[in-house]
Amino acid sequence: MRGARGGLILLGTVGMAYGAWLLLSTQDLGQVVEVMIWLAAAVVIHDGILAPAVLALGWLGGRLLPRAVARGAVTVLVLLGPVTLVAIPVLGRFGAKPDNPTLLDRDYVQGLLVFAVLCMCAGVAVALGELRSRQTTQPTVEEE
Amino acid sequence: MRIPSEDSFTSRLRSAAVAARVGLWLGICFLVALATGLISHYAQVDHQPVPLPTSPSWGYQVTQGLHVVAGTAAIPLLLIKLWVVFPKLFQPMPRRVREALPTALERGSIAILVSTSLVQLTTGLLNVAQWYPWGFSFRSTHYALAFVAVGALLVHIAVKLPVVRDALTGDVEDTAHDRPNARQSGPVSRRGVLVLAGTSALAAAFLYTAGTVPGVGRIAALSPRSRQHGIPINRTAHSAGVVAEASSSDYRLEVVHGTTSRSLSRQDLVAMEQRTCTLPIACVEGWSATGDWGGVRLRDLLDLVGAPPGREVRIRSIQTFSASADTVLPPNFADDDRTLLALELDGETLSMDHGYPVRLIAPNRPGVMQTKWVSRIEVLG
């Protein structure tokens, strides 16, 4: 196990060094700087904005919502949140080209709304399931 | 506002048992994306030391479909993984130098892993929708950072291996590797988190990447591509700047082998033996669509100039400002019966945007190298 771990660390370090060399040898200085800005911005946006926002939602939900509702809310958040982030490029149609009708050829707002409704239904189903299981297993002890 | 410490986080969902399981799925996604990405980059090398096979004709279609599926599925998984391990961001540094140095190195590798993973998934996602809000080359940067991200992942796996092994062989409710105060039950169970993570990953991947899959493409509501306009187009004739030359009656296809050459008009090509082939166009962006192509077999054109089998063949386009304007077909592709200079698509004359007057279509080849508006075919020595 010790040998395997050492080997993995060595291989990983070589991989990182090779990737860094590839980047430096194919992009000019301005482009490398821009890649560095993207790398830093990704961490800042995730750790500084997205993660605290989700923490705040969790904190509020934990205090304000009854358990069954919180369960439904978490379901909606985990299903809909990442998909909404994934949809940003198509919702904004940032890559659209006027002469190419085969690119971005759907109504993405409508599509995301339909998916959001499906997530809400899943959330309601989960909340109702929680309420029903609580009724049938009464008197309840804390579930976990 | 007070900066939280690791012990401010009390949910029992933030557990090694959950992190290891989501991490395992994420690792599989990264492995699939790396392997299929390497295949794609190799397929675009002009003189391949060992040429890729021409069969199955849908090989590139499947590998590149998997590439974007794995990448898109990894987005929800990465976000959930980072949520689970978020308290570690607030771990104190050891005071003693002997312990602080390895800790600093490990944290540094985690920082590289997180930042390159986020950037790889984001730039890949944006590339599928052809949105490029940056000045660096997507292709070179995505390729280079893949090695950095996977390298950092290997280091991370090596460091965590004992914990990962315990966590994956133990029960999901196991708390052996958890902080003592991470005991508060959440609104959902650990199994619930895993089910939600998997569902979220599958939903994102399906909605964003399945747009050109027959049957279900219509409900893949967030896909940048569909089949409602027929086979999708990446570069139009207009944006490639080829409209005038491609529609000119002076157009000729040059076929060159050493000192022998032939100059063929589109009528000359139509007069040759016509063959049809059902082959996919498969883009590195993940979409693919199969069409019935009609035209002249490349091997028949090579026979016209007396080219022996087993030669590489250079294909040039009218278009000049593109990587795909000048590519080399390996010998096995040049000699394959299914490799056509296509004049028709699905029974109709090739449209200008699909490469009129004539385009290359070969099995198991990256879409970007299925050269449109072909002007010259040159047998290499």
Side-chain angles (χ1 to χ4, degrees):
Chain A
M1 175 114 139
R2 209 190 162 115
R5 293 176 75 191
L8 277 178
I9 289 179
L10 187 69
L11 189 63
T13 309
V14 170
M16 284 192 279
Y18 177 62
W21 175 80
L22 272 179
L23 185 70
L24 292 173
S25 59
T26 58
Q27 305 295 289
D28 66 34
L29 186 63
Q31 291 173 315
V32 172
V33 169
E34 201 180 343
V35 172
M36 295 303 153
I37 292 172
W38 270 73
L39 290 170
V43 174
V44 169
I45 291 170
H46 178 269
D47 290 2
I49 300 172
L50 190 59
V54 174
L55 278 182
L57 277 180
W59 187 83
L60 277 177
R63 265 146 199 80
L64 299 180
L65 302 177
R67 188 182 157 89
V69 180
R71 213 170 153 96
V74 166
T75 303
V76 174
L77 180 70
V78 178
L79 294 180
L80 185 56
V83 166
T84 305
L85 291 177
V86 163
I88 288 174
V90 294
L91 287 175
R93 314 189 79 89
F94 302 102
K97 295 182 181 66
D99 64 335
N100 190 352
T102 73
L103 180 65
L104 300 167
D105 54 357
R106 298 169 199 253
D107 183 345
Y108 297 104
V109 176
Q110 188 191 58
L112 188 64
L113 285 176
V114 171
F115 182 68
V117 169
L118 289 176
C119 292
M120 303 285 182
C121 293
V124 169
V126 165
L128 289 177
E130 165 75 5
L131 286 176
R132 180 169 299 178
S133 77
R134 209 182 291 173
Q135 278 167 2
T136 52
T137 56
Q138 259 174 4
T140 43
V141 197
E142 191 58 6
E143 194 190 50
E144 285 156 34
Chain B
M1 201 180 103
R2 190 175 55 90
I3 293 179
S5 74
E6 197 182 10
D7 288 331
S8 315
F9 300 91
T10 53
S11 167
R12 70 188 298 280
L13 299 178
R14 300 188 200 258
S15 156
V18 179
R21 284 167 173 81
V22 179
L24 176 67
W25 301 344
L26 200 50
I28 292 170
C29 285
F30 273 43
L31 188 69
V32 169
L34 177 73
T36 52
L38 289 177
I39 288 173
S40 181
H41 277 268
Y42 188 72
Q44 292 177 56
V45 170
D46 260 352
H47 303 280
Q48 298 162 12
V50 182
L52 290 173
T54 57
S55 290
S57 63
W58 40 262
Y60 192 78
Q61 178 179 33
V62 168
T63 60
Q64 298 322 293
L66 279 175
H67 186 81
V68 296
V69 165
T72 312
I75 293 173
L77 295 178
L78 180 63
L79 292 172
I80 290 157
K81 174 80 161 66
L82 290 176
W83 182 88
V84 173
V85 299
F86 195 64
K88 292 194 181 294
L89 193 61
F90 304 98
Q91 265 177 347
M93 279 294 281
R95 290 285 161 86
R96 303 210 343 243
V97 178
R98 187 177 291 187
E99 293 160 27
L101 185 65
T103 307
L105 283 175
E106 197 228 332
R107 297 242 186 122
S109 77
I110 296 289
I112 294 172
L113 176 59
V114 171
S115 62
T116 51
S117 298
L118 287 169
V119 168
Q120 283 297 77
L121 298 182
T122 306
T123 54
L125 183 83
L126 268 53
N127 178 53
V128 171
Q130 298 205 1
W131 179 25
Y132 305 103
W134 51 69
F136 47 83
S137 154
F138 167 73
R139 192 174 178 277
S140 310
T141 305
H142 201 67
Y143 184 65
L145 290 185
F147 288 98
V148 181
V150 172
L153 177 59
L154 292 181
V155 172
H156 178 54
I157 291 170
V159 170
K160 297 291 182 190
L161 201 54
V163 179
V164 170
R165 203 177 53 172
D166 272 11
L168 291 181
T169 50
D171 191 81
V172 70
E173 303 296 344
D174 198 13
T175 55
H177 291 282
D178 298 347
R179 286 169 290 113
N181 71 333
R183 290 285 177 270
Q184 196 186 341
S185 67
V188 290
S189 66
R190 287 181 177 180
R191 278 202 175 77
V193 169
L194 295 177
V195 169
L196 283 175
T199 312
S200 187
L202 292 176
F206 172 78
L207 291 171
Y208 198 67
T209 70
T212 54
V213 178
V216 296
R218 280 188 53 196
I219 55 169
L222 302 175
S223 296
R225 300 293 191 158
S226 77
R227 291 218 53 179
Q228 57 171 315
H229 296 280
I231 291 188
I233 291 157
N234 250 10
R235 173 158 302 194
T236 61
H238 176 77
S239 74
V242 300
V243 176
E245 258 191 274
S247 53
S248 162
S249 58
D250 293 338
Y251 166 83
R252 294 290 182 278
L253 173 66
E254 303 287 335
V255 187
V256 180
H257 170 226
T259 53
T260 318
S261 73
R262 292 289 294 271
S263 183
L264 303 163
S265 68
R266 195 173 195 279
Q267 285 74 17
D268 297 332
L269 291 168
V270 171
M272 291 178 69
E273 186 183 348
Q274 300 294 299
R275 298 173 192 259
T276 54
C277 249
T278 305
L279 288 175
I281 285 271
C283 185
V284 64
E285 288 154 19
W287 60 263
S288 60
T290 300
D292 292 326
W293 305 88
V296 180
R297 192 172 66 169
L298 174 61
R299 190 59 244 175
D300 292 344
L301 287 168
L302 300 180
D303 287 342
L304 278 183
V305 292
R311 296 293 188 83
E312 286 184 330
V313 173
R314 183 179 291 281
I315 309 281
R316 286 220 176 120
S317 169
I318 294 172
Q319 123 187 77
T320 45
F321 300 101
S322 163
S324 54
D326 184 344
T327 62
V328 174
L329 270 175
N332 55 333
F333 284 79
D335 295 337
D336 195 288
D337 277 343
R338 295 164 295 178
T339 301
L340 301 183
L341 270 299
L343 304 164
E344 290 189 342
L345 168 56
D346 292 333
E348 290 175 22
T349 301
L350 210 56
S351 73
M352 191 65 95
D353 287 337
H354 277 304
Y356 179 93
V358 59
R359 81 169 297 164
L360 177 72
I361 182 81
N364 196 24
R365 187 165 167 83
V368 66
M369 298 173 85
Q370 308 274 30
T371 312
K372 299 198 273 193
W373 316 293
V374 177
S375 62
R376 186 181 161 93
I377 296 170
E378 186 185 341
V379 181
L380 301 181

